[in-house]
Amino acid sequence: MDFVRPYAGVLVATFLAAVAAAVLDGFTFTLLIPFLRLLFGDVSGVVAEAPTAVEKFLTVVVGFALGTDRAAAVRNVVLLILVAVAVKNVAVYTAGSLGAHIQEGVARDMRAHLYAHIQRLGLGFFQRMKGGQLVSRMIADTEQACRIVSAALVSLVQNVILIAVYLAILFSLSWRLTLLTLVVAPAIAAVMRPIQLRIRKRLSKALHDRGEVTAIVSETIEGARLVKAHSAEAYERRRFGDAVENYSKGIVRAQRLAVLAHPVSETLGAGVVLLLVIFGISAGPSGVGMRPELFIPFIAIALRLVSPVKALTQFPMHAEVSLAASERVFQILDEAEDDVDPPGVRACPGLAGQIVFDGVWFAYEPGSWVLKGVDLTVRSGEVMAIVGPSGAGKSTLVDLLPRFIEPSRGQVLMDGVPLSVYGRRSLRRTMGIVSQHTVIFNDTVRANIAYGEQENATPQAVEAAARAANAHGFIEQLPQGYDTVLGERGMRLSGGERQRIAIARALLRDPPILILDEATSALDTEGERLVQQAIARLLENRTVLVIAHRLSTVARADQIVVLDGGSVLERGRHQDLLDAGGIYQRLHSLEMHG
Ligand code: ADP
């Protein structure tokens, strides 16, 4: 509701336009009465012997235009109808466009709010939530949730007013015939309902079958290599053929019912109209004996009543869908914003002396410790290599430094000050992070290298960083050089090229502290040499924590930490650890021999 509040004024205007549209719509139909009377040769315009309330109303409102000669009266009525229809449609347009304005405005505000909120959530949230899920909540669910605004307004309000106006006119034309209509018309709905339900059931089954078809297609695209390797083409073709067959059969079954629905409802409708004609026209005790100029507008309005009533009965269904969607949106909005600083945090001045991990314990889930009392010291300007088997807790350990996660016990100190004292943004500004999985954004090479620094980085600085990262050469070869668009919808880069872009990114920021997660996958010799050289330049004059996979990096480190099962097992320099003949020596010889 908070999202709708800014639009209160527009909301009222929409409401008024909807009311005007409904009233004018009814008014147009009542104008049929004088029109028909004039057509049937009655020159008296609206004056009848036993006028209905509608006719009395018309006499007051438009009587002036109908009193004189017949030709002039006919012209005037036609003109009045035209004007009423035109004004009504202006009101319909106004209500519709204002409604759309509100709905999309609310959707935009909600998305912006949701996006800002998501950015304040910790990394844990992004690991829990699947990317696709989050995208669908951002785009589809917000859309769906806001539909309630236009559904409630345009559909609910407009249709309720329309129904009220129509019913008022019908009752004033003939209350007996109106009551009869209200009794027999729902009978059509009662007959149609089972058919409609069957159609919906068959359609939802067909939709499910279509899901199967899509699943098979995407499976075999992703697994194309496997399919070919196992010569399973014929099998997959059969599987796909069966699924497609199933789907098309289901659609035909649903269609058969759907094409049946219309003739049935039309026949029933014709029956009801016939009943109304007999009862409405015939005089005496078995009928109402309506004048034809009243009866024709009556039938017209009664038929018009169907669509707002239908829309109204569908409202709960739409509302339910919208509510479910908004629940999913609010589920995310209710996530605690755990990546924002409380007021009064200090700005991190940078590193002068050392970083200390002091008895750090950490668990993602209560009870299952990933780090078990890690004590480490990294002196300023030192390169510390962290090695150990996969799952040892290496990534978890380095994630503590930028405060992506917080220690469960113990603390991490920078020059004696716990990291929690510092604001996250200022802390993260002192660090560069180069990870195995280089994210390349759908943007130019320049913007990718200057990511986060777009305002400050000059083209010269970007190029200097690219040169130092051994990336300038291949960037020059790209179609538009530094202005070439990269990423999903742009140029694809090789693994080594991506790594060098990431290194250039870090070099440009020139952070005093560097967190490096070396890529495990081997590159070709030339690519490897270029990346190695770039990394060597990146390490110069920095305090570095590196999750090391390359012997050259490990051998050069000032300190090697062997982590296993969340504990530090060995520490020292390369040669010392080799000589000690412990776990490092075993890991090392494993690596050397394959
Ligand atoms: P390494 O980097 O040494 O391979 P990690 O620090 O990535 O090890 O992981 C250490 C342990 O923590 C593993 O058992 C892993 O399954 C677990 N783990 C890592 N990230 C999460 C997470 N977001 N939620 C739950 N468990 C996690």
Side-chain angles (χ1 to χ4, degrees), residues 570-593:
E570 290 177 14
R571 277 172 63 182
R573 283 182 160 271
H574 178 63
Q575 199 54 49
D576 301 339
L577 289 178
L578 281 186
D579 294 344
I583 190 170
Y584 179 77
Q585 193 264 334
R586 280 203 296 284
L587 277 173
H588 180 246
S589 69
L590 262 179
E591 196 134 303
M592 295 304 289
H593 302 107

PDB file of all heavy atoms in Angstrom, residues 570-593:
ATOM      1  N   GLU A 570      49.918 -26.234   8.767  1.00  0.00           N
ATOM      2  CA  GLU A 570      51.341 -25.883   8.657  1.00  0.00           C
ATOM      3  C   GLU A 570      51.476 -24.445   8.207  1.00  0.00           C
ATOM      4  O   GLU A 570      50.596 -23.921   7.526  1.00  0.00           O
ATOM      5  CB  GLU A 570      52.034 -26.792   7.627  1.00  0.00           C
ATOM      6  CG  GLU A 570      52.178 -28.217   8.087  1.00  0.00           C
ATOM      7  CD  GLU A 570      52.809 -29.090   7.001  1.00  0.00           C
ATOM      8  OE1 GLU A 570      53.365 -28.536   6.030  1.00  0.00           O
ATOM      9  OE2 GLU A 570      52.727 -30.327   7.140  1.00  0.00           O
ATOM     10  N   ARG A 571      52.589 -23.823   8.592  1.00  0.00           N
ATOM     11  CA  ARG A 571      52.876 -22.471   8.126  1.00  0.00           C
ATOM     12  C   ARG A 571      54.363 -22.349   7.901  1.00  0.00           C
ATOM     13  O   ARG A 571      55.165 -22.932   8.625  1.00  0.00           O
ATOM     14  CB  ARG A 571      52.484 -21.447   9.198  1.00  0.00           C
ATOM     15  CG  ARG A 571      51.048 -21.067   9.196  1.00  0.00           C
ATOM     16  CD  ARG A 571      50.744 -20.223  10.391  1.00  0.00           C
ATOM     17  NE  ARG A 571      51.490 -18.971  10.369  1.00  0.00           N
ATOM     18  CZ  ARG A 571      51.430 -18.057  11.326  1.00  0.00           C
ATOM     19  NH1 ARG A 571      50.687 -18.273  12.389  1.00  0.00           N
ATOM     20  NH2 ARG A 571      52.122 -16.948  11.226  1.00  0.00           N
ATOM     21  N   GLY A 572      54.744 -21.586   6.890  1.00  0.00           N
ATOM     22  CA  GLY A 572      56.166 -21.363   6.684  1.00  0.00           C
ATOM     23  C   GLY A 572      56.464 -21.004   5.246  1.00  0.00           C
ATOM     24  O   GLY A 572      55.539 -20.762   4.464  1.00  0.00           O
ATOM     25  N   ARG A 573      57.787 -20.983   4.921  1.00  0.00           N
ATOM     26  CA  ARG A 573      58.171 -20.711   3.541  1.00  0.00           C
ATOM     27  C   ARG A 573      58.212 -22.011   2.771  1.00  0.00           C
ATOM     28  O   ARG A 573      58.274 -23.099   3.349  1.00  0.00           O
ATOM     29  CB  ARG A 573      59.538 -20.025   3.519  1.00  0.00           C
ATOM     30  CG  ARG A 573      59.449 -18.563   3.892  1.00  0.00           C
ATOM     31  CD  ARG A 573      60.819 -17.913   3.820  1.00  0.00           C
ATOM     32  NE  ARG A 573      60.668 -16.467   3.706  1.00  0.00           N
ATOM     33  CZ  ARG A 573      60.566 -15.824   2.555  1.00  0.00           C
ATOM     34  NH1 ARG A 573      60.622 -16.479   1.409  1.00  0.00           N
ATOM     35  NH2 ARG A 573      60.423 -14.512   2.541  1.00  0.00           N
ATOM     36  N   HIS A 574      58.213 -21.895   1.453  1.00  0.00           N
ATOM     37  CA  HIS A 574      58.160 -23.048   0.566  1.00  0.00           C
ATOM     38  C   HIS A 574      59.224 -24.095   0.917  1.00  0.00           C
ATOM     39  O   HIS A 574      58.911 -25.250   1.196  1.00  0.00           O
ATOM     40  CB  HIS A 574      58.348 -22.532  -0.868  1.00  0.00           C
ATOM     41  CG  HIS A 574      58.366 -23.600  -1.915  1.00  0.00           C
ATOM     42  ND1 HIS A 574      57.283 -24.401  -2.167  1.00  0.00           N
ATOM     43  CD2 HIS A 574      59.338 -23.974  -2.784  1.00  0.00           C
ATOM     44  CE1 HIS A 574      57.574 -25.232  -3.153  1.00  0.00           C
ATOM     45  NE2 HIS A 574      58.825 -24.993  -3.550  1.00  0.00           N
ATOM     46  N   GLN A 575      60.495 -23.642   0.949  1.00  0.00           N
ATOM     47  CA  GLN A 575      61.571 -24.598   1.153  1.00  0.00           C
ATOM     48  C   GLN A 575      61.506 -25.226   2.543  1.00  0.00           C
ATOM     49  O   GLN A 575      61.694 -26.436   2.699  1.00  0.00           O
ATOM     50  CB  GLN A 575      62.930 -23.900   0.939  1.00  0.00           C
ATOM     51  CG  GLN A 575      64.063 -24.881   0.679  1.00  0.00           C
ATOM     52  CD  GLN A 575      63.744 -25.836  -0.500  1.00  0.00           C
ATOM     53  OE1 GLN A 575      63.342 -25.403  -1.573  1.00  0.00           O
ATOM     54  NE2 GLN A 575      63.897 -27.148  -0.280  1.00  0.00           N
ATOM     55  N   ASP A 576      61.209 -24.390   3.555  1.00  0.00           N
ATOM     56  CA  ASP A 576      61.132 -24.899   4.930  1.00  0.00           C
ATOM     57  C   ASP A 576      60.077 -25.992   5.041  1.00  0.00           C
ATOM     58  O   ASP A 576      60.288 -27.036   5.674  1.00  0.00           O
ATOM     59  CB  ASP A 576      60.785 -23.768   5.901  1.00  0.00           C
ATOM     60  CG  ASP A 576      61.821 -22.650   5.835  1.00  0.00           C
ATOM     61  OD1 ASP A 576      62.940 -22.940   5.364  1.00  0.00           O
ATOM     62  OD2 ASP A 576      61.487 -21.515   6.218  1.00  0.00           O
ATOM     63  N   LEU A 577      58.895 -25.732   4.401  1.00  0.00           N
ATOM     64  CA  LEU A 577      57.802 -26.697   4.496  1.00  0.00           C
ATOM     65  C   LEU A 577      58.148 -27.979   3.742  1.00  0.00           C
ATOM     66  O   LEU A 577      57.795 -29.076   4.172  1.00  0.00           O
ATOM     67  CB  LEU A 577      56.505 -26.107   3.937  1.00  0.00           C
ATOM     68  CG  LEU A 577      55.866 -25.011   4.798  1.00  0.00           C
ATOM     69  CD1 LEU A 577      54.617 -24.471   4.129  1.00  0.00           C
ATOM     70  CD2 LEU A 577      55.537 -25.531   6.184  1.00  0.00           C
ATOM     71  N   LEU A 578      58.867 -27.839   2.631  1.00  0.00           N
ATOM     72  CA  LEU A 578      59.296 -29.031   1.899  1.00  0.00           C
ATOM     73  C   LEU A 578      60.242 -29.857   2.751  1.00  0.00           C
ATOM     74  O   LEU A 578      60.103 -31.082   2.868  1.00  0.00           O
ATOM     75  CB  LEU A 578      59.998 -28.632   0.589  1.00  0.00           C
ATOM     76  CG  LEU A 578      59.103 -28.242  -0.585  1.00  0.00           C
ATOM     77  CD1 LEU A 578      59.952 -28.035  -1.839  1.00  0.00           C
ATOM     78  CD2 LEU A 578      58.040 -29.305  -0.852  1.00  0.00           C
ATOM     79  N   ASP A 579      61.167 -29.156   3.383  1.00  0.00           N
ATOM     80  CA  ASP A 579      62.152 -29.854   4.212  1.00  0.00           C
ATOM     81  C   ASP A 579      61.499 -30.533   5.407  1.00  0.00           C
ATOM     82  O   ASP A 579      61.932 -31.601   5.842  1.00  0.00           O
ATOM     83  CB  ASP A 579      63.215 -28.863   4.717  1.00  0.00           C
ATOM     84  CG  ASP A 579      64.043 -28.319   3.550  1.00  0.00           C
ATOM     85  OD1 ASP A 579      63.985 -28.942   2.467  1.00  0.00           O
ATOM     86  OD2 ASP A 579      64.710 -27.278   3.715  1.00  0.00           O
ATOM     87  N   ALA A 580      60.428 -29.885   5.920  1.00  0.00           N
ATOM     88  CA  ALA A 580      59.757 -30.447   7.101  1.00  0.00           C
ATOM     89  C   ALA A 580      59.115 -31.788   6.781  1.00  0.00           C
ATOM     90  O   ALA A 580      58.890 -32.613   7.663  1.00  0.00           O
ATOM     91  CB  ALA A 580      58.714 -29.466   7.615  1.00  0.00           C
ATOM     92  N   GLY A 581      58.826 -32.009   5.477  1.00  0.00           N
ATOM     93  CA  GLY A 581      58.288 -33.319   5.053  1.00  0.00           C
ATOM     94  C   GLY A 581      56.898 -33.601   5.578  1.00  0.00           C
ATOM     95  O   GLY A 581      56.542 -34.758   5.814  1.00  0.00           O
ATOM     96  N   GLY A 582      56.101 -32.586   5.757  1.00  0.00           N
ATOM     97  CA  GLY A 582      54.732 -32.782   6.258  1.00  0.00           C
ATOM     98  C   GLY A 582      53.712 -32.812   5.140  1.00  0.00           C
ATOM     99  O   GLY A 582      54.006 -33.245   4.019  1.00  0.00           O
ATOM    100  N   ILE A 583      52.517 -32.305   5.461  1.00  0.00           N
ATOM    101  CA  ILE A 583      51.390 -32.369   4.531  1.00  0.00           C
ATOM    102  C   ILE A 583      51.661 -31.542   3.276  1.00  0.00           C
ATOM    103  O   ILE A 583      51.290 -31.912   2.168  1.00  0.00           O
ATOM    104  CB  ILE A 583      50.090 -31.941   5.249  1.00  0.00           C
ATOM    105  CG1 ILE A 583      48.871 -32.236   4.369  1.00  0.00           C
ATOM    106  CG2 ILE A 583      50.127 -30.493   5.642  1.00  0.00           C
ATOM    107  CD1 ILE A 583      47.574 -32.065   5.122  1.00  0.00           C
ATOM    108  N   TYR A 584      52.358 -30.404   3.446  1.00  0.00           N
ATOM    109  CA  TYR A 584      52.655 -29.558   2.293  1.00  0.00           C
ATOM    110  C   TYR A 584      53.540 -30.299   1.313  1.00  0.00           C
ATOM    111  O   TYR A 584      53.326 -30.252   0.099  1.00  0.00           O
ATOM    112  CB  TYR A 584      53.340 -28.257   2.739  1.00  0.00           C
ATOM    113  CG  TYR A 584      53.704 -27.354   1.570  1.00  0.00           C
ATOM    114  CD1 TYR A 584      52.723 -26.601   0.944  1.00  0.00           C
ATOM    115  CD2 TYR A 584      55.015 -27.284   1.091  1.00  0.00           C
ATOM    116  CE1 TYR A 584      53.033 -25.790  -0.129  1.00  0.00           C
ATOM    117  CE2 TYR A 584      55.337 -26.475   0.012  1.00  0.00           C
ATOM    118  CZ  TYR A 584      54.344 -25.733  -0.596  1.00  0.00           C
ATOM    119  OH  TYR A 584      54.650 -24.935  -1.664  1.00  0.00           O
ATOM    120  N   GLN A 585      54.496 -30.989   1.862  1.00  0.00           N
ATOM    121  CA  GLN A 585      55.418 -31.732   1.006  1.00  0.00           C
ATOM    122  C   GLN A 585      54.648 -32.793   0.212  1.00  0.00           C
ATOM    123  O   GLN A 585      54.887 -32.987  -0.980  1.00  0.00           O
ATOM    124  CB  GLN A 585      56.500 -32.350   1.883  1.00  0.00           C
ATOM    125  CG  GLN A 585      57.699 -32.889   1.125  1.00  0.00           C
ATOM    126  CD  GLN A 585      57.577 -34.384   0.858  1.00  0.00           C
ATOM    127  OE1 GLN A 585      56.895 -35.104   1.603  1.00  0.00           O
ATOM    128  NE2 GLN A 585      58.222 -34.850  -0.196  1.00  0.00           N
ATOM    129  N   ARG A 586      53.677 -33.438   0.872  1.00  0.00           N
ATOM    130  CA  ARG A 586      52.880 -34.466   0.183  1.00  0.00           C
ATOM    131  C   ARG A 586      52.012 -33.834  -0.912  1.00  0.00           C
ATOM    132  O   ARG A 586      51.948 -34.324  -2.028  1.00  0.00           O
ATOM    133  CB  ARG A 586      52.007 -35.214   1.190  1.00  0.00           C
ATOM    134  CG  ARG A 586      52.759 -36.292   1.970  1.00  0.00           C
ATOM    135  CD  ARG A 586      51.825 -37.353   2.517  1.00  0.00           C
ATOM    136  NE  ARG A 586      50.877 -36.843   3.497  1.00  0.00           N
ATOM    137  CZ  ARG A 586      51.182 -36.538   4.751  1.00  0.00           C
ATOM    138  NH1 ARG A 586      52.436 -36.693   5.189  1.00  0.00           N
ATOM    139  NH2 ARG A 586      50.276 -36.095   5.577  1.00  0.00           N
ATOM    140  N   LEU A 587      51.319 -32.683  -0.551  1.00  0.00           N
ATOM    141  CA  LEU A 587      50.500 -31.971  -1.538  1.00  0.00           C
ATOM    142  C   LEU A 587      51.338 -31.577  -2.743  1.00  0.00           C
ATOM    143  O   LEU A 587      50.930 -31.725  -3.895  1.00  0.00           O
ATOM    144  CB  LEU A 587      49.918 -30.690  -0.922  1.00  0.00           C
ATOM    145  CG  LEU A 587      48.643 -30.810  -0.093  1.00  0.00           C
ATOM    146  CD1 LEU A 587      48.329 -29.477   0.561  1.00  0.00           C
ATOM    147  CD2 LEU A 587      47.480 -31.278  -0.952  1.00  0.00           C
ATOM    148  N   HIS A 588      52.553 -31.107  -2.436  1.00  0.00           N
ATOM    149  CA  HIS A 588      53.430 -30.615  -3.474  1.00  0.00           C
ATOM    150  C   HIS A 588      53.868 -31.729  -4.407  1.00  0.00           C
ATOM    151  O   HIS A 588      53.823 -31.593  -5.634  1.00  0.00           O
ATOM    152  CB  HIS A 588      54.653 -29.938  -2.839  1.00  0.00           C
ATOM    153  CG  HIS A 588      55.609 -29.408  -3.851  1.00  0.00           C
ATOM    154  ND1 HIS A 588      56.870 -29.914  -4.012  1.00  0.00           N
ATOM    155  CD2 HIS A 588      55.470 -28.431  -4.775  1.00  0.00           C
ATOM    156  CE1 HIS A 588      57.459 -29.268  -4.988  1.00  0.00           C
ATOM    157  NE2 HIS A 588      56.636 -28.357  -5.461  1.00  0.00           N
ATOM    158  N   SER A 589      54.229 -32.861  -3.829  1.00  0.00           N
ATOM    159  CA  SER A 589      54.702 -33.948  -4.692  1.00  0.00           C
ATOM    160  C   SER A 589      53.531 -34.528  -5.496  1.00  0.00           C
ATOM    161  O   SER A 589      53.709 -34.952  -6.630  1.00  0.00           O
ATOM    162  CB  SER A 589      55.399 -35.036  -3.870  1.00  0.00           C
ATOM    163  OG  SER A 589      54.456 -35.718  -3.081  1.00  0.00           O
ATOM    164  N   LEU A 590      52.307 -34.499  -4.909  1.00  0.00           N
ATOM    165  CA  LEU A 590      51.120 -34.918  -5.661  1.00  0.00           C
ATOM    166  C   LEU A 590      50.951 -34.057  -6.894  1.00  0.00           C
ATOM    167  O   LEU A 590      50.708 -34.533  -7.999  1.00  0.00           O
ATOM    168  CB  LEU A 590      49.868 -34.760  -4.785  1.00  0.00           C
ATOM    169  CG  LEU A 590      49.339 -36.005  -4.080  1.00  0.00           C
ATOM    170  CD1 LEU A 590      48.123 -35.656  -3.248  1.00  0.00           C
ATOM    171  CD2 LEU A 590      48.997 -37.088  -5.097  1.00  0.00           C
ATOM    172  N   GLU A 591      51.104 -32.723  -6.686  1.00  0.00           N
ATOM    173  CA  GLU A 591      50.929 -31.771  -7.771  1.00  0.00           C
ATOM    174  C   GLU A 591      51.975 -31.984  -8.853  1.00  0.00           C
ATOM    175  O   GLU A 591      51.698 -31.960 -10.043  1.00  0.00           O
ATOM    176  CB  GLU A 591      51.043 -30.361  -7.206  1.00  0.00           C
ATOM    177  CG  GLU A 591      50.499 -29.308  -8.130  1.00  0.00           C
ATOM    178  CD  GLU A 591      49.617 -28.349  -7.363  1.00  0.00           C
ATOM    179  OE1 GLU A 591      48.645 -28.797  -6.731  1.00  0.00           O
ATOM    180  OE2 GLU A 591      49.936 -27.178  -7.367  1.00  0.00           O
ATOM    181  N   MET A 592      53.212 -32.210  -8.408  1.00  0.00           N
ATOM    182  CA  MET A 592      54.317 -32.357  -9.340  1.00  0.00           C
ATOM    183  C   MET A 592      54.158 -33.616 -10.199  1.00  0.00           C
ATOM    184  O   MET A 592      54.534 -33.644 -11.361  1.00  0.00           O
ATOM    185  CB  MET A 592      55.657 -32.458  -8.583  1.00  0.00           C
ATOM    186  CG  MET A 592      56.029 -31.213  -7.815  1.00  0.00           C
ATOM    187  SD  MET A 592      56.088 -29.752  -8.862  1.00  0.00           S
ATOM    188  CE  MET A 592      57.561 -30.116  -9.804  1.00  0.00           C
ATOM    189  N   HIS A 593      53.571 -34.661  -9.576  1.00  0.00           N
ATOM    190  CA  HIS A 593      53.505 -35.927 -10.312  1.00  0.00           C
ATOM    191  C   HIS A 593      52.126 -36.226 -10.853  1.00  0.00           C
ATOM    192  O   HIS A 593      51.760 -37.365 -11.055  1.00  0.00           O
ATOM    193  CB  HIS A 593      54.009 -37.069  -9.413  1.00  0.00           C
ATOM    194  CG  HIS A 593      55.394 -36.844  -8.928  1.00  0.00           C
ATOM    195  ND1 HIS A 593      55.670 -36.495  -7.628  1.00  0.00           N
ATOM    196  CD2 HIS A 593      56.591 -36.839  -9.571  1.00  0.00           C
ATOM    197  CE1 HIS A 593      56.972 -36.313  -7.494  1.00  0.00           C
ATOM    198  NE2 HIS A 593      57.552 -36.518  -8.663  1.00  0.00           N
TER     199      HIS A 593
END
